[in-house]
Amino acid sequence: MSTEYEYIVVGSGAGGGTLAARLAENGRRVLVLEAGGDPRVMQGGDAVSDENRLPDDYDVPVFHAIASENRAMKWDYFVRHYGDDERQKRDPKFTARHEGEAVDGVLYPRAGCLGGCTAHNAMITVYPHNDDWDHIARLTGDDSWDAFKMRGYFQKLENCHHRPDHRLFSRLSNPSKHGWTGWLRTEKAIPKSALGDGELVESLVSSVDSAFSELGEPGKRAEWLRQGTGDPNDWRLVKDNATGLRYPPLATSHHRRTGARERLLDVQKDHPDKLDIELDALVTRILFDDDNRATGVEYLKGARLYRAHCQPRGETGEKRTATASREVILAGGAFNTPQLLMLSGIGPRAELEKHGIETRVELPGVGQNLQDRYEVGVVNRMNFDHWEVLKGAKYAKGDPQYRQWEEKREGVYTSNGAVLAVIKRSLQERPLPDLFCFALLGLFKGYFPSYSKLLAEHLNYLTWAILKAHTNNTAGSVTLRSADPLDTPHINFRYFDEGNDASGEDLDSVVAGIRFVRKLTGPLKKKGLIAEEELPGEALQSDEELRDFIRNQAWGHHASCTCPIGADDDSMAVLDSRFRVRGVQNLRVVDASVFPRIPGFFIVCAIYMVAEKAADVILKDAG
């Protein structure tokens, strides 16, 4: 392997993988360092068994929850939602010990493998709101971030296959502003077999009728439905901040997972002299010269070294260095990027001194501003043994649904389990739609060890997941647990009362989401299809009872904003509008941590877009 690189990219996920591939395509010599292995090559069991489930856990869309607990690829963080111990332990998902080790928090699954978290996410590809981009443009005075220009990056990366009529005539007219030739294929998975499921059809029809009666704006909704036919990414709906019923577009190729891994390997195949990918390479420190110019990285070569990985872990790794003639680009995500900056002497001085790390550049914003969405589930046990589309399902190779997926790429396994979604404002006064509510055929009440096995054990549940976007709380933080680069950082989201949303709007919005979903499920109860609402439970009816339920049981999985882009006069801004780390040279960040505030509903689409933008910026700066 050559050691002469122009760029070193640390991390291979939605940010790093996208960026590295685009740089290599444009003739730059790039090294990608990834701490894990290739998920389609490794072997790993699920949450309860050591029997190998790869590559199926990676490939089959509906297996994404099981993939997040696959022992070959998972990184388990245990995060705090609250600093107060008594408050934290009210969450039934709180875990004190895991795999024989003391932990202290709620499971937050991440993926340590080629492709990063695109290897286990739910593949939902939903465009952010235009104001998310315009906000960065206003904040920095850099109009290259305005929403119209940013749409171009979406079109550059997308290969849309869920609007076949628009695809056919896209050369003549493209009012939906989809991309048709990009590297990320997007598809729609509404299983044809569901049409033969009487209970499912009845459930969907009842929920649809209820949703339409509750959403208001019937004239606008009819026009949005005519234009977008349920597509949340249609530009005309995006411009209008449209609400209504939607299907979730998925990042799948012929109904098999696709993402940053495929992008990297495709480019490496086409440009083998430009792109090297080194797996099992855990970066521990950024290297600088005397002028504070990033010149490379130090890393440990070895498998399963990081302590987020499950047992058994690698004991030691071989220390190596790699150098870059132009730039080092961090793309480790909202937890690992600030950790690596702090380990390299860039961050809040007091935090660095606490762990005996010499301060190279004092940047108080590193690791601060941690944000996430709030999510809860309204979990209903149905009045039958199983959904007809899940008859005989084991969520494993060989069951009837797997054979249907494997042989025909049809059936419920082509989906991620979501069958219907509604986008709405939690309350009319909210400036943007802030609730994404989606129906899942399964039992899902958040993340805790072995949560994924509930899917295979309970085939008669309907969970409406409520995702509260555009949260106000920015009080979370990522700090060092120690100066040991193998340690995970200390992560505290400081939910609700411990956060800085003094108005309580976030909490009120989630309450409104629960009340809305209960109206959706009302017709199912009247028809006797629902046996019991298990969560929050019928006993909880008042606003305060629901608030307490949310405080105790909410979760998130879109951590972001810990190295934010900001204005030059903002002391908490870690990056400028060109992704450059302030106070040093030749060092950038391109991942979920760059946002000043959390964008849209599902963060992966926004990360892909900023990575494409970063590639343009870097190539331009390189001349």
Side-chain angles (χ1 to χ4, degrees):
M1 182 182 292
S2 170
T3 57
E4 297 179 2
Y5 299 101
E6 294 175 277
Y7 299 94
I8 293 174
V9 179
V10 180
S12 66
T18 302
L19 171 65
R22 190 64 76 184
L23 293 177
E25 271 188 339
N26 281 271
R28 300 300 177 178
R29 287 284 293 124
V30 183
L31 171 65
V32 174
L33 295 173
E34 166 55 52
D38 185 338
R40 296 200 76 253
V41 174
M42 296 186 293
Q43 294 191 349
D46 62 13
V48 295
S49 169
D50 289 331
E51 183 177 350
N52 182 45
R53 289 184 54 103
L54 289 169
D56 287 334
D57 276 0
Y58 180 87
D59 289 341
V60 183
V62 86
F63 288 177
H64 62 90
I66 303 168
S68 74
E69 295 200 276
N70 186 286
R71 298 182 65 82
M73 52 196 280
K74 70 170 184 168
W75 275 9
D76 289 342
Y77 293 86
F78 287 87
V79 307
R80 298 289 294 226
H81 293 167
Y82 300 97
D84 181 76
D85 285 342
E86 181 183 350
R87 170 78 267 178
Q88 180 63 80
K89 290 177 181 178
R90 294 178 196 171
D91 189 335
K93 302 184 295 299
F94 175 80
T95 304
R97 294 193 67 79
H98 180 58
E99 296 191 338
E101 296 180 327
V103 295
D104 180 28
V106 178
L107 175 64
Y108 204 106
R110 301 282 85 182
C113 61
L114 185 62
C117 289
T118 70
H120 76 190
N121 70 354
M123 295 151 288
I124 297 176
T125 308
V126 173
Y127 195 79
H129 290 102
N130 282 347
D131 191 63
D132 295 322
W133 305 123
D134 289 339
H135 171 71
I136 300 177
R138 292 190 301 268
L139 193 68
T140 61
D142 182 347
D143 65 4
S144 70
W145 283 94
D146 79 54
F148 186 82
K149 293 173 183 172
M150 290 301 297
R151 183 69 180 196
Y153 291 113
F154 179 71
Q155 292 178 267
K156 186 175 185 178
L157 69 92
E158 188 192 25
N159 186 350
C160 176
H161 280 261
H162 58 89
R163 297 295 296 276
D165 52 341
H166 283 229
R167 186 178 183 86
L168 184 63
F169 298 104
S170 61
R171 291 188 179 182
L172 300 175
S173 176
N174 189 16
S176 65
K177 285 190 178 292
H178 275 289
W180 311 104
T181 60
W183 58 267
L184 184 70
R185 182 167 170 137
T186 57
E187 300 174 335
K188 176 170 61 176
I190 298 179
K192 294 179 181 178
S193 59
L195 299 177
D197 187 332
E199 289 96 348
L200 178 55
V201 170
E202 191 170 359
S203 299
L204 293 179
V205 170
S206 296
S207 295
V208 166
D209 289 343
S210 296
F212 270 100
S213 65
E214 290 294 327
L215 288 175
E217 300 181 311
K220 287 184 178 180
R221 282 191 292 100
E223 179 63 12
W224 291 330
L225 185 61
R226 184 191 68 79
Q227 292 177 333
T229 61
D231 171 14
N233 298 336
D234 189 299
W235 176 248
R236 294 162 295 183
L237 276 61
V238 171
K239 283 195 306 179
D240 285 353
N241 294 320
T243 58
L245 290 163
R246 302 288 182 268
Y247 61 82
L250 302 182
T252 56
S253 180
H254 304 285
H255 302 295
R256 190 178 86 173
R257 176 187 294 277
T258 189
R261 173 192 177 275
E262 286 66 36
R263 172 64 168 152
L264 279 168
L265 294 180
D266 286 347
V267 171
Q268 186 182 52
K269 181 180 178 181
D270 292 341
H271 304 277
D273 59 328
K274 298 300 181 185
L275 178 61
D276 283 338
I277 304 168
E278 185 164 1
L279 303 177
D280 297 325
L282 178 67
V283 176
T284 57
R285 188 163 61 97
I286 308 160
L287 302 175
F288 294 90
D289 65 15
D290 293 339
D291 296 320
N292 264 1
R293 181 184 292 108
T295 60
V297 297
E298 188 176 89
Y299 65 99
L300 294 175
K301 179 68 174 178
R304 306 169 70 102
L305 298 177
Y306 194 57
R307 293 189 184 120
H309 208 298
C310 64
Q311 300 280 14
R313 299 193 190 98
E315 293 294 325
T316 58
E318 177 191 349
K319 185 180 290 188
R320 297 182 181 179
T321 61
T323 58
S325 62
R326 288 189 181 272
E327 295 185 16
V328 174
I329 303 152
L330 306 185
F335 299 157
N336 292 93
T337 288
Q339 179 185 20
L340 185 54
L341 284 172
M342 287 185 281
L343 289 172
S344 306
I346 301 171
R349 184 180 297 275
E351 177 67 16
L352 302 181
E353 290 178 348
K354 184 195 307 183
H355 299 285
I357 299 171
E358 183 180 352
T359 302
R360 177 176 293 276
V361 176
E362 184 173 10
L363 282 182
V366 172
Q368 304 303 301
N369 195 49
L370 174 63
Q371 297 171 43
D372 207 340
R373 319 201 196 285
Y374 292 119
E375 299 183 47
V376 295
V378 176
V379 179
N380 296 282
R381 177 169 46 85
M382 307 306 286
N383 211 3
F384 42 80
D385 291 335
H386 57 264
W387 296 98
E388 188 62 29
V389 291
L390 294 177
K391 183 178 181 179
K394 303 294 183 185
Y395 286 89
K397 182 189 290 286
D399 70 16
Q401 293 79 6
Y402 180 90
R403 291 196 299 271
Q404 189 178 17
W405 174 84
E406 184 179 40
E407 295 168 6
K408 300 180 180 179
R409 288 297 191 264
E410 294 180 355
V412 70
Y413 282 11
T414 66
S415 78
N416 63 357
V419 292
L420 180 73
V422 179
I423 292 174
K424 72 182 297 288
R425 285 176 170 82
S426 57
L427 299 166
Q428 281 303 114
E429 59 265 30
R430 298 293 184 254
L432 294 170
D434 62 327
L435 291 183
F436 192 97
C437 306
F438 53 107
L440 303 167
L441 300 186
L443 172 55
F444 181 56
K445 50 188 178 181
Y447 301 108
F448 51 89
S450 299
Y451 83 95
S452 62
K453 78 175 201 174
L454 298 179
L455 291 171
E457 293 178 348
H458 302 279
L459 305 179
N460 63 331
Y461 276 78
L462 174 66
T463 298
W464 272 93
I466 299 163
L467 183 152
K468 159 60 182 154
H470 301 296
T471 45
N472 294 315
N473 184 22
T474 64
S477 66
V478 175
T479 54
L480 295 177
R481 200 179 300 274
S482 75
D484 184 348
L486 303 186
D487 260 351
T488 59
H490 180 73
I491 302 157
N492 188 349
F493 286 92
R494 296 186 176 88
Y495 274 13
F496 301 115
D497 298 346
E498 286 192 1
N500 56 8
D501 176 27
S503 67
E505 285 186 4
D506 289 342
L507 193 54
D508 289 343
S509 291
V510 185
V511 169
I514 292 175
R515 295 204 178 281
F516 171 71
V517 164
R518 281 178 164 175
K519 289 176 181 176
L520 296 186
T521 57
L524 309 186
K525 293 179 181 178
K526 290 180 181 178
K527 294 177 181 179
L529 290 174
I530 290 178
E532 180 185 2
E533 180 190 284
E534 294 188 356
L535 287 176
E538 294 290 351
L540 305 184
Q541 292 294 329
S542 71
D543 282 356
E544 192 48 45
E545 287 171 331
L546 293 177
R547 287 189 190 103
D548 203 41
F549 165 78
I550 295 162
R551 291 186 191 102
N552 292 344
Q553 302 213 28
W555 69 86
H557 67 294
H558 295 153
S560 53
C561 307
T562 50
C563 297
I565 291 169
D568 291 341
D569 60 357
D570 181 358
S571 64
M572 299 301 287
V574 176
L575 311 175
D576 66 13
S577 68
R578 301 179 71 80
F579 304 93
R580 296 175 295 201
V581 177
R582 296 176 183 275
V584 295
Q585 299 178 61
N586 298 359
L587 180 64
R588 302 194 207 224
V589 172
V590 182
D591 59 24
S593 65
V594 307
F595 301 103
R597 68 182 192 192
I598 189 168
F601 294 114
F602 294 89
I603 199 167
V604 68
C605 181
I607 300 171
Y608 284 140
M609 291 171 65
V610 298
E612 291 286 5
K613 177 176 173 55
D616 267 5
V617 169
I618 291 168
L619 290 167
K620 184 176 181 180
D621 285 353

